[in-house]
Amino acid sequence: LTSERYGVQRLPFSHVSDSDLAFFEHMIPGGVITDPEELKPFNVDWLQSVRGSSKLLLRPRTTAQVSEILRYCNERNLAVNPQGGNTGLVGGSVPVFDEIILSTALMNQVISFDSVSGVLVCQAGCILENLNQYLEELDFIMPLDLGAKGSCHIGGNVATNAGGLRLLRYGSLRGTVLGLEVVLANGSVLNCLTSLRKDNTGYDLKQLFIGSEGTLGVITAVSILCPRKPMAVNLAFLGCQSFSQILETFTTCKGMLGEILSAYEFMDDRCMKLVVSHLKLSNPVTESPFFILIETSGSNTTHDQEKLNNFLECVMASGLVTDGTVATDDKKIKTLWALRERITEALTYDGYVFKYDISLPVEKLYDLVIDTRVRLGRSAKNVVGYGHLGDGNLHLNITAESYSHTLLDAIEPFVYEWTAKYRGSISAEHGLGFKKKHYIQYSKPWETVLLMQQFKAMLDPKGILNPYKTLPSSS
Ligand code: FAD
Ligand code: MLT
Ligand code: ZN
């Protein structure tokens, strides 16, 4: 059980009473779920590694309803766990004890789209893939893409400041999110839902909520800048003999593909073995220690293909890359992307997954995988490395037959100390959630953590919003 494994104590919040249920029923008829069977998937995270015991799930449709719910919960001292698509990977999206789950699943309406500016305004519960499909019909795309696109909500993406597969090209949500509407713990609605590219009137408050993991407010609507749909997309899937050659290929790639480069991802041979054996995908190139996935997105098919071909000729001739395949049609592009995107899923079939999401100077990225492999020896089933190399983001994952406290002790704090030694980040894009909040000091000085705790206390004085998550308790 979550609380036993992590040794946390329930804070003195109220318990949900019959009169609370009557109040919620009256406010959102049909949006109140108490059936234990129906609640089960909302109490357990995507990785099935943490589990809460909430007895109440609320599904509001409007900002006004979220506001009323939070005003009431704040007065009654009831703890609340905001939840989007529940695809989070750090245990932030599910309750630890009996917090009320506040789901954005029914807040799924597009509010407006401006095809001149490319600004989309929508409710927080819109599923990322649905938004992308909606935009594609209008010749635009979302500026972010991730393997969980079919389930994750845009509100959840913003709350975690999700990175993903397009960050290299379109930048982080801190740049593309133009405005937010947020309901604070006391129920007041903070309207920062502007669609302006430029606005230097005072502090940029929306930034406080981007990446705040449901601890400072509930995001109810998002205004986001969307790029035009690229007219030409090409993919190259390449085999590489060493990590240093991956780096050299990256440098060459940036020079030769420049403005059309939209993704530079890598995976090691062990990842390939997992997607092949567990998901029955096939490796399109010869066995190699490493694989690179390069995507280009541009506006001129002939021009882009010519550039990509020149680049490929260069890296093949110099021996940086030993084998490869290229895709220009949609179907093959999706098949090749699946090899990289579905590693997360393949890992879950391999056993219990210890998941790390690290930012490092790019030349150090794979050393952590090697050192961890050496350290753990045969006590781990697989130690694999993959990730967003173009962003300096490594996903180090370790699998074992089942959860083992001894193995966890061998991994942590080793991985965090290693990361801190090179001034990396112990969470590049997944957040801290429940599992990593005690390790924040490996990446942030104490005075910054203290200031974060002060912001939390100011915005949520009773601490009802996602307690036990993101920050270590101020005591
Ligand atoms: P949830 O999991 O429901 O919640 C995540 C956190 O946000 C929780 O702390 C929750 O309380 C809070 N939250 C959710 N909605 C709101 C809201 N409206 N207001 C306030 N707080 C809220 N992440 C990446 O960064 N890059 C990737 O490439 C990536 N790939 C993934 C691939 C797979 C297969 C999976 C399973 C996950 C992946 N993730 C990735 C992690 C995850 O998908 C992202 O963190 C995603 O953004 C979470 O969105 P969600 O709607 O599922 O949020
Ligand atoms: C990814 O890049 O595939 C995601 O962040 C998920 C993961 O780390 O497994
Ligand atoms: Zn990732």
Side-chain angles (χ1 to χ4, degrees), residues 46 81-94 102 104 124-125 144-149 151-165 209 212-215 217-220 340-341 344-345 357 388 393 395 429-430 433 466 469-470:
W46 190 90
N81 185 150
Q83 190 178 87
N86 196 11
T87 65
L89 297 172
V90 287
S93 53
V94 292
L102 178 58
T104 50
L144 77 160
D145 183 26
L146 33 125
K149 56 180 151 268
S151 314
C152 63
H153 297 182
I154 187 66
N157 298 147
V158 174
T160 54
N161 187 24
L165 308 161
F209 299 93
S212 66
E213 301 184 82
T215 61
V218 175
I219 297 164
T220 46
R340 162 64 187 89
E341 275 187 275
T344 319
E345 186 189 339
D357 164 37
H388 315 288
N393 181 181
H395 292 312
E429 56 172 13
H430 296 161
N466 229 1
K469 312 283 173 61
T470 310

Side-chain angles (χ1 to χ4, degrees), residues 366-416:
Y366 203 72
D367 289 353
L368 176 57
V369 181
I370 295 167
D371 287 0
T372 306
R373 205 172 271 152
V374 169
R375 179 179 168 84
L376 301 181
R378 294 165 69 88
S379 59
K381 194 172 171 193
N382 274 299
V383 178
V384 309
Y386 58 99
H388 315 288
L389 187 128
D391 311 324
N393 181 181
L394 167 74
H395 292 312
L396 164 70
N397 283 235
I398 297 138
T399 60
E401 288 303 343
S402 58
Y403 172 78
S404 150
H405 209 80
T406 320
L407 185 54
L408 181 65
D409 283 346
I411 304 169
E412 297 178 14
F414 167 78
V415 167
Y416 300 134

